[in-house]
Amino acid sequence: MAQGNRADYRVVPLPDRIDGIKDGDFKLTSDCVIDYPLGNRDMERNAAMLSDYIEELTDIHLSTRPVNSANNNKGCITLSLDSRVKSDEGYRITVTSRAVEIAGKTPAGVFYGIQTLRKSIPVGKTDQVLLPAAQVASTPRFGYRGMHLDCVRHFFGVETVKRYLDIMTLHGMNRLHWHLTDDQGWRIEIKKYPRLAEVGGWRNGTTLGHNSPVNDGIRYGGYYTQEEIKEIVRYAADRYITIIPEIDMPGHMVAALTAYPELGCTGGPYEVWSLWGVTDDILCAGNDQTLQFVNDVLDEVMQLFPGTYIHIGGDESPRVRWQECPRCQQRIMDLGLKTSGQQSAEALLQGWFTTQVQQYLNTHGRRVIGWDELLGCDVDATATIMSWRGSEPGAQGAMQGHDVIMTPVDPLYFDYYQTSKTWNEPTAFGGCNTLKKVYDFDPVAPDLPADKRHHILGAQANVWTEYITCEPQIQYQILPRMAALAEVQWLEPVDKNYQDFKARLPRLVEIYKHYGWTYRAKSLIQDDEDKTD
Ligand code: ACM
Ligand code: ZN
């Protein structure tokens, strides 16, 4: 048997433990059957997916079979639930010459074991793969292992979003932060406000390059129907990925204002934006109708997205319109908000607005995530903070008792360049986040006190799409940096080793190639300097 047909459990992310067992290899052939517990729909789907993965990679077809209890069928792969596995998403794979067992405390844990087995198998048509006898076990370091995708600045259809979820699945990730609304487009159908998608979903052209004076003049847009959103949410859930929708407010709202100008301070008219950046036009916080609108939109959002968290943005919200707006100023008076120290009355008004929305979501059993700007406006500690302007705001948030997700621009903005030598790279936002910088990132600052560390829920890379116009370009920006992020999310810092990771990466890339995903090949060949100009 050629060496090429032996599985290697040293995949990405690297399992915590790989302990050899003194036994012969298990022969994976089409005679093997995948057993799963009878009557468990999640485990049935897990089994079907494992069968599909093996067939996609090797052409070996395995059938699946429900079983009543653990029976010792010779030559079988058994998926099982085992309460002795410590964490909910942890797994244990046991391979002997006669059997393979993938066990988890939950079906999600079993699924991560399936991903590891899948990645350990060499890509290529064959009729037999040898699995060395071993026990393999792992537990993710963080419960929140995210990727973000901006589907506003450029719009990507259902199939592209599903493939993005497929890529996340291969990397053991479990949260998609889906950016659905912004100045340049409104991408989610809201039945009560049909103009949001019909009018707000389209812009009259797009600036060329980095906000040049030249506009391409091409009408651009699109949106997801509620049926499409349900389909994507279901597709994600089948892969144990929760989608967190972002409805960004009170800033980044020009698409909505174009559709409903009465929600802005000046009353408009507004035009869905064709530039990038931050605009002064935001929702009017002095108008009761605005809060009604937000609650109505969130009602439909909550129906579509069953996860606990809703992201309500809060970033880059200039307050110049509020300073001039009689209704906003009246609200400030009525609430008795007063400028104190660094905090303007308008910042406190954003805090009040956010708190209204937060309370509305809380009464529906949901929790809020917002960008780190919320720390400056007196929002209470039940809001989870997404730290993007570096890791320091997140550390401060954790000190104040907020849960925190780390997505610092440096190094987790994957719309940034991956090298300082940018001349042959597709246009990107700027910056330089190399593969190594991503790998070396630790979401938990070394000086964060022990009793605050639990507030750091995890890490996520953000993919803003001002300069990303098509799916291969998305993939180029995220691969292979997602592989480095996966080890940040799964491994304890002491278990990370960049050179070792680089040695394991080519086998993961074989899988990227197999699925036809675009990736930055140069990142495999040599390390990029991480200096920024
Ligand atoms: C952000 O990048 N404006 C959160
Ligand atoms: Zn106003």
Side-chain angles (χ1 to χ4, degrees):
M1 175 63 53
Q3 193 67 11
N5 275 353
R6 267 176 91 82
D8 180 347
Y9 309 121
R10 294 179 50 78
V11 301
V12 176
L14 184 68
D16 295 338
R17 302 197 54 157
I18 302 173
D19 299 319
I21 295 176
K22 279 210 171 66
D23 196 357
D25 296 332
F26 178 87
K27 291 189 180 61
L28 180 73
T29 70
S30 57
D31 293 336
C32 301
V33 177
I34 303 170
D35 286 347
Y36 62 90
L38 176 70
N40 188 318
R41 296 283 294 274
D42 292 331
M43 295 293 273
E44 179 176 359
R45 192 181 57 249
N46 280 348
M49 283 198 195
L50 175 58
S51 170
D52 287 348
Y53 293 143
I54 292 173
E55 188 158 3
E56 285 163 8
L57 295 175
T58 64
D59 245 15
I60 299 172
H61 175 77
L62 307 190
S63 51
T64 65
R65 173 176 64 184
V67 291
N68 249 324
S69 57
N71 63 356
N72 291 322
N73 286 302
K74 224 172 134 191
C76 269
I77 299 177
T78 304
L79 307 185
S80 57
L81 294 173
D82 184 342
S83 57
R84 287 169 304 176
V85 174
K86 272 202 218 89
S87 86
D88 280 352
E89 295 181 296
Y91 64 83
R92 185 189 68 230
I93 306 172
T94 310
V95 180
T96 67
S97 60
R98 290 181 313 152
V100 177
E101 186 197 25
I102 305 178
K105 188 169 178 176
T106 67
V110 173
F111 189 67
Y112 294 120
I114 288 172
Q115 297 305 322
T116 288
L117 187 68
R118 166 197 195 189
K119 285 178 274 196
S120 73
I121 293 172
V123 176
K125 197 166 154 40
T126 182
D127 48 20
Q128 177 173 291
V129 177
L130 298 180
L131 307 182
Q135 190 160 91
V136 180
S138 211
T139 297
R141 180 181 180 201
F142 293 107
Y144 188 111
R145 303 183 301 280
M147 283 296 291
H148 154 284
L149 185 62
D150 169 10
C151 288
V152 173
R153 275 49 176 269
H154 284 95
F155 177 66
F156 304 99
V158 173
E159 292 310 311
T160 297
V161 178
K162 285 185 177 172
R163 257 185 305 270
Y164 199 76
L165 291 161
D166 290 341
I167 296 172
M168 288 177 62
T169 298
L170 184 75
H171 293 84
M173 299 191 185
N174 64 358
R175 299 283 184 274
L176 172 63
H177 168 178
W178 199 9
H179 189 75
L180 285 167
T181 66
D182 215 304
D183 298 316
Q184 298 83 1
W186 184 281
R187 306 269 176 250
I188 168 173
E189 177 191 23
I190 299 294
K191 307 257 192 214
K192 191 156 184 184
Y193 299 91
R195 286 172 58 82
L196 284 173
E198 284 165 13
V199 175
W202 299 87
R203 62 179 179 251
N204 291 317
T206 304
T207 183
L208 295 182
H210 289 81
N211 268 356
S212 76
V214 185
N215 183 300
D216 68 9
I218 301 167
R219 187 168 152 80
Y220 182 92
Y223 64 88
Y224 305 100
T225 65
Q226 294 203 350
E227 282 313 306
E228 287 173 328
I229 287 181
K230 284 183 204 158
E231 182 184 332
I232 289 171
V233 168
R234 211 176 308 122
Y235 189 88
D238 283 352
R239 289 152 183 80
Y240 306 93
I241 295 172
T242 304
I243 302 191
I244 297 166
E246 181 184 357
I247 309 295
D248 202 347
M249 64 185 84
H252 289 287
M253 266 285 173
V254 170
L257 292 178
T258 307
Y260 297 97
E262 63 274 22
L263 302 175
C265 290
T266 64
Y270 303 98
E271 196 179 337
V272 181
W273 221 26
S274 57
L275 292 173
W276 313 129
V278 177
T279 144
D280 287 341
D281 287 310
I282 69 173
L283 291 178
C284 176
N287 182 354
D288 288 335
Q289 213 190 327
T290 304
L291 280 164
Q292 187 59 49
F293 164 81
V294 167
N295 291 350
D296 290 341
V297 167
L298 291 174
D299 281 342
E300 294 189 34
V301 168
M302 284 189 279
Q303 276 190 3
L304 293 168
F305 295 93
T308 306
Y309 280 119
I310 308 281
H311 200 306
I312 58 167
D315 59 324
E316 300 177 322
S317 199
R319 293 158 188 148
V320 290
R321 294 284 181 265
W322 288 1
Q323 283 164 358
E324 305 286 320
C325 171
R327 282 182 300 192
C328 286
Q329 289 304 314
Q330 185 64 45
R331 179 83 81 197
I332 285 172
M333 293 255 290
D334 294 347
L335 295 168
L337 304 177
K338 296 212 167 49
T339 299
S340 72
Q342 297 276 16
Q343 258 177 342
S344 65
E346 286 77 19
L348 294 171
L349 183 60
Q350 187 178 346
W352 172 82
F353 173 87
T354 306
T355 301
Q356 302 305 298
V357 179
Q358 188 178 8
Q359 285 171 353
Y360 186 74
L361 289 170
N362 290 164
T363 58
H364 290 80
R366 305 305 182 94
R367 293 191 59 185
V368 157
I369 301 181
W371 297 110
D372 61 49
E373 280 92 333
L374 293 190
L375 290 172
C377 26
D378 267 6
V379 170
D380 82 43
T382 62
T384 295
I385 297 299
M386 206 166 250
S387 188
W388 72 279
R389 296 175 300 176
S391 297
E392 296 75 21
Q396 280 167 25
M399 293 304 288
Q400 294 168 23
H402 291 272
D403 283 345
V404 170
I405 297 150
M406 286 294 185
T407 72
V409 286
D410 181 349
L412 294 187
Y413 269 38
F414 285 3
D415 54 331
Y416 281 27
Y417 287 107
Q418 334 196 26
T419 171
S420 57
K421 300 188 174 73
T422 59
W423 47 88
N424 282 326
E425 296 292 309
T427 303
F429 186 91
C432 173
N433 289 333
T434 64
L435 184 67
K436 181 159 192 320
K437 264 172 79 175
V438 175
Y439 193 84
D440 288 342
F441 178 66
D442 186 349
V444 183
D447 56 354
L448 193 68
D451 64 335
K452 301 288 188 274
R453 294 179 159 237
H454 67 281
H455 282 306
I456 310 295
L457 304 184
Q460 164 183 294
N462 293 345
V463 182
W464 302 101
T465 58
E466 288 93 335
Y467 310 105
I468 299 177
T469 61
C470 60
E471 185 178 1
Q473 204 185 346
I474 297 177
Q475 293 173 352
Y476 183 88
Q477 291 300 122
I478 63 175
L479 301 177
R481 287 189 288 194
M482 262 176 88
L485 178 61
E487 298 226 334
V488 170
Q489 293 169 333
W490 274 79
L491 272 61
E492 295 298 330
V494 291
D495 295 326
K496 281 163 62 186
N497 178 319
Y498 182 67
Q499 292 312 326
D500 186 72
F501 161 74
K502 285 287 290 277
R504 286 179 278 114
L505 189 54
R507 288 199 301 113
L508 184 66
V509 169
E510 285 303 308
I511 301 180
Y512 299 169
K513 286 196 231 174
H514 186 73
Y515 290 115
W517 299 339
T518 300
Y519 60 95
R520 185 171 183 272
K522 270 195 191 152
S523 297
L524 292 152
I525 299 163
Q526 70 188 67
D527 284 325
D528 295 282
E529 291 170 53
D530 65 3
K531 81 176 170 52
T532 328
D533 301 326

